[in-house]
DNA sequence: TCTGTTCTAGCACGGTCGTGCGAGAAAGTG
DNA sequence: CACTTTCTCGCACGACCGTGCTAGAACAGA
């Protein structure tokens, strides 16, 4: 009856393998993310991965959850100080694939979202992210129109024009989609120019 | 040496099977569009389909081409008369999934586009459609800003602000993406309200 | 009728997949 | 050292897939 020796950090291992899933998904699509392919990418054997994942569903779901957690952590780490319109611009810029790392995340993310349409296992997480992003965009619209979120309670969503929320939300998703669809052909300056133009109209109009 | 008897219309048959592909893709995703599944959906046997398609690649590519042809035909059939801003609004409304038929088309379309990112066989057609839509959106922006396209030669694209083109293009793709992502939860009125708001800003600002 | 062509149906092969399993290596404790 | 637990590896099974193939049905002309 020995005290349990912990040889490897399971959580860290699961995270590493999740990153391997992202790379495979980006390169070959979610269909190509077979257990064998991910094992090769992660430098493991298929049998070895079974000690950390219950199966392919657990593997892919974990990779998707890790992705949302990563994006969420980056958003939570943003500097909330400054005039409201400047904060709004900062958050928007964080949502765009302005560098390679976020481009890779966006490409993998859309693969998961695409599958969520026909696979229940991914749907709930996709819907939660969708609602979370919509709430964030609602705050961005409020910020752009000069509302200071520090003054309003977190529980209550700010009162804003829902048409403008959907307009900005769709614009952002469309920009990311275009960057994903044509990697390297949508420069960062274009993305920023478009959102700056949009935010300008939002500020002037509100 | 008989005169060749033509028992079935090959083109019509290929079209019917392509529609069966759409239904399977909508229901189970592009991964689920196996030759066997499409054969069942179309009421044929796998061996019988080989008389009309060279293989799975031909099958899926044909389904995607048929989809672009269908959308293109609908756009070509639009009434081009009226004041430019009204024509612009008419074209935009045609691009949105306002009824079940176009919703189904949009869902299948995004499945093909998603695969095009990692599968060369679909990439060329996806890129062509992307460029075609971008050119169309450029014309819409010109129309919204009062330019009468009848006065400008077809060969030369209208001179418009490319930032506005990308902004409207991304907005439209984002709206369609949201409708695809959450079927039934994005009502037609919302889609129209958003594009009307956007076109209004485009007209006033230009 | 007979003949040649088109079309249909389904089987069989080779390949990939997810997954369960067991043997052996590695590491920590007595 | 022995002993237990953790970890790694690769094989094997059954399922599904794309595809080639063959035998027969359906049909148009002679």
């Amino acid at each position: 009856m020995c005290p349990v020796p912990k040889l490897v950090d399971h959580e860290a291992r699961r995270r590493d393998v999740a990153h391997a899933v992202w790379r495979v998904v980006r390169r070959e699509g979610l269909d190509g993310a077979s257990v064998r392919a991910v094992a090769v990418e992660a430098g493991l054997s298929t049998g070895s991965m079974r000690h950390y994942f219950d199966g392919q569903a657990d593997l892919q779901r974990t990779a998707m959850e890790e992705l949302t957690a990563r994006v969420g952590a980056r958003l939570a780490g943003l500097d909330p100080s400054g005039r409201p319109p400047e904060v709004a611009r900062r958050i928007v810029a964080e949502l765009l694939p302005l560098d390679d790392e976020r481009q890779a995340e966006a490409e993998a993310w859309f693969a998961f979202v695409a599958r969520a349409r026909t696979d229940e296992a991914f749907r709930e997480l996709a819907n939660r992210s969708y609602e979370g992003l919509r709430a964030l965009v609602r705050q961005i619209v409020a910020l752009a129109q000069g509302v200071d979120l520090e003054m309003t309670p977190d529980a209550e969503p700010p009162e804003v024009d829902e048409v403008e929320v959907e307009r900005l939300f769709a614009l952002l998703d469309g920009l990311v989609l275009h960057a994903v669809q044509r990697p390297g052909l949508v420069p960062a300056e274009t993305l920023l120019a478009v959102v700056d133009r949009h935010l300008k109209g939002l500020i002037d109009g509100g």
Side-chain angles (χ1 to χ4, degrees), chain A residues 79-165:
Chain A
D79 177 14
S81 68
R83 293 188 306 115
E86 290 171 0
V87 179
R89 208 261 189 184
R90 207 176 299 144
I91 301 176
V92 166
E94 192 60 59
L95 291 170
L96 297 174
L98 297 177
D99 52 29
D100 252 24
E101 182 185 339
R102 279 174 288 178
Q103 172 77 21
E105 289 173 1
E107 292 180 17
W109 176 249
F110 270 96
F112 286 117
V113 165
R115 168 149 311 191
R117 207 183 57 77
T118 53
D119 191 331
E120 278 192 61
F122 298 98
R123 193 141 50 209
E124 185 202 341
L125 184 52
N127 286 347
R128 259 213 311 270
S129 300
Y130 180 92
E131 295 300 337
L133 278 176
R134 172 175 285 280
L136 180 63
V137 172
R138 189 172 291 116
Q139 293 189 339
I140 295 173
V141 171
L143 283 168
Q145 295 182 340
V147 177
D148 195 336
L149 291 184
E150 305 287 339
M151 301 302 171
T152 64
D154 283 2
E156 286 184 27
E159 285 186 16
V160 294
D161 185 349
E162 289 298 322
V163 173
E164 289 299 340
V165 173

Side-chain angles (χ1 to χ4, degrees), chain A residues 36-79:
Chain A
R36 284 171 173 86
V38 172
V40 171
E41 179 72 28
L44 299 175
S45 66
T46 64
S48 184
M49 285 209 305
R50 299 300 301 273
H51 280 266
Y52 307 101
F53 297 93
D54 277 345
Q56 192 185 39
D58 183 27
L59 176 66
Q60 296 184 345
R61 181 182 177 81
T62 300
M64 187 175 178
E65 284 174 347
E66 177 73 14
L67 197 46
T68 66
R70 182 143 152 173
V71 174
R74 238 204 324 259
L75 289 171
L78 283 180
D79 177 14

